Amino acid sequence: MQPNSVIRTFKCIKNVSKIHSGTHRLFHKSTSNAIEFTSVRYPNLKRGQYSNVSDVDIAAFEKILPGAQRVITDASELEGYNTDWIKTCRGRSQVLLKPKETEEVSAILKICHERNLAVVPQGGNTGLVGGSVPVFDEIIISTQLMNTVISLDSLSGILTCQAGCILGNLNDYVSEHNLTMPLDLGAKGSCHIGGNLATNAGGVRLLRYGSLHGSVLGLEAVLPDGEVLDCMSSLRKDNTGYDLKQLFIGSEGTLGIITAASILCPQKSQAVNVAFLGVDSFDRVLEVFKESKHQLAEILSAFEFLDSEALAVCTDNLKLNSPLSSHPFYVLIETSGSNSAHDEEKLNTFLESMMDAGKVLDGTVVAEPTKIQYIWGLRERVAEGLMHDGYCYKYDVSLPLSAFYQLVTDMRARIGSKATRVIGYGHVGDGNLHFNVTSPQYDPEVMALIEPFIYDWVANYKGSISAEHGLGFKKREYIYHSKSRSAVKMMKALKTLVDPNGILNPYKFLPDH
Ligand code: FAD
Ligand code: 2HG
Ligand code: ZN
């Protein structure tokens, strides 16, 4: 079988008119008047005992950041930076700072430390747990202008860059040298590598390249008192002392502002194929996964799934065409290797065996880059499509595969017709379910049906309440559902050691009690 042909029921996708560009900047509304302030929605939360930003502070920041557009105090310009991507959190910061260099970040934090001013670090502001925007009036420090590639060693594959480089741009850059970034996600057109590191972003390549804890070789961060912590290294192996950089990966801006990193980039694959398949039950999804690991082995690079309601988000709200007829579940399999003839033969043999066994009912295989991008769009653009329904209640959990889809079934039964949609999709190959509910606007009744029930459900099955998006503002109080009291106690002790005044990203990540 040739790629681009389809197994059994062929439907070509060449006539699709709209091609999604994987590295487009995500749409960012600048007006957010309808969005409730976080401080209003959560009236029990009190502002910490931080100072207010004074004119003297502004003058000091302007001295550190000379030139236009680097100290922003205009309310309308600040609106987009005060509001998160899913329009569920809105702060009231009056100051946005845009440093270009590590030394500038250091000088800013020295002032904030001395003056007891609270700060929120912000990258591309695509975070999905309310971690990247202020809760009250924290100063926003954006890495937007810290976007320089420092070096690339094409032999070792080690990229060194500033934290504000956009992930998609880095991928374009390294691919000119036959390399690829070890992570990829739907927000690649907007998210910064610093934000990816701060959230320990997973994405669709984790199955192949593992987590950022393995790919990051070096990291530089500015601590809350302004000290620059130099953990930059370009060594694959280095067993000297505690591996401090790991603390910052996934610390969600609570320990330091990441300013630069060295990342190991794997070789770009010469041959990529994507199969999009229809199956009739979630058990079939798991059977296809098991068999794909066995038969595709080293060329399997992604295994994702969507339920029919998740695909409907793309077809209804984004008007994307599905290449397949309707099925209860869909699987997206990507293979990446170095020999197209070998990979295609392997993939086709696998798909034929799945069809013959009745495990796969329908499918399409593509190898041409624009078609690959289109099929990936059906999976990666669900998050964007959900926003068209109004309000989105977003959950990102790790679960044992035996209980994986049961969560969606149980929640659907519980929520009934009170929501617009209840969907499940995600990185099934990594045991990571994305569970989403939508309604026309924020509805406390729907929220009460979901939380805390969902967290108890996940804990009961020994899952994690955050697989990859993190805790941010929204999930910190539920950390005990996934971490022991002793572990959280140590996290709090560490936070106090590094940030004794708690100025860095307050009200996030760690629980109050
Ligand atoms: P921001 O949103 O700006 O910030 C996120 C957090 O990191 C905040 O707590 C912030 O304070 C902190 N932070 C940001 N920069 C720094 C820094 N330099 N130093 C210290 N702290 C910092 N996540 C996944 O894991 N996998 C996915 O597949 C995935 N897909 C997504 C798809 C879409 C369409 C969207 C909108 C989001 C997706 N996300 C995904 C969520 C999000 O975590 C990632 O988009 C990304 O890692 C966030 O990067 P950012 O630069 O936008 O960070
Ligand atoms: C993805 O994998 C992102 O597409 C977003 O992590 C998930 O919207 C979501 O729930
Ligand atoms: Zn994801």
Side-chain angles (χ1 to χ4, degrees), residues 203 304 379 396 426-427 432 434 468-469:
E304 301 279 320
R379 160 61 189 85
D396 151 56
H427 317 287
N432 177 185
H434 290 315
E468 59 175 11
H469 297 163

Side-chain angles (χ1 to χ4, degrees), residues 493-507:
L494 189 68
K495 169 75 176 170
T496 308
L497 177 76
V498 178
D499 184 15
N501 301 337
I503 61 164
L504 212 50
N505 223 0
Y507 328 105

Side-chain angles (χ1 to χ4, degrees), residues 161-227:
C161 65
Q162 280 191 300
C165 292
I166 291 176
L167 176 63
N169 293 349
L170 287 178
N171 199 55
D172 292 345
Y173 178 77
V174 301
S175 55
E176 285 167 22
H177 301 266
N178 269 323
L179 298 165
T180 191
M181 292 300 287
L183 82 158
D184 184 19
L185 47 139
K188 57 180 150 283
S190 293
C191 62
H192 297 184
I193 191 69
N196 300 145
L197 300 176
T199 53
N200 186 24
V204 295
R205 287 186 188 159
L206 189 133
L207 180 85
R208 164 64 67 92
Y209 300 120
S211 98
L212 286 167
H213 283 293
S215 308
V216 175
L217 303 181
L219 183 145
E220 178 189 78
V222 181
L223 301 178
D225 64 359
E227 184 173 349

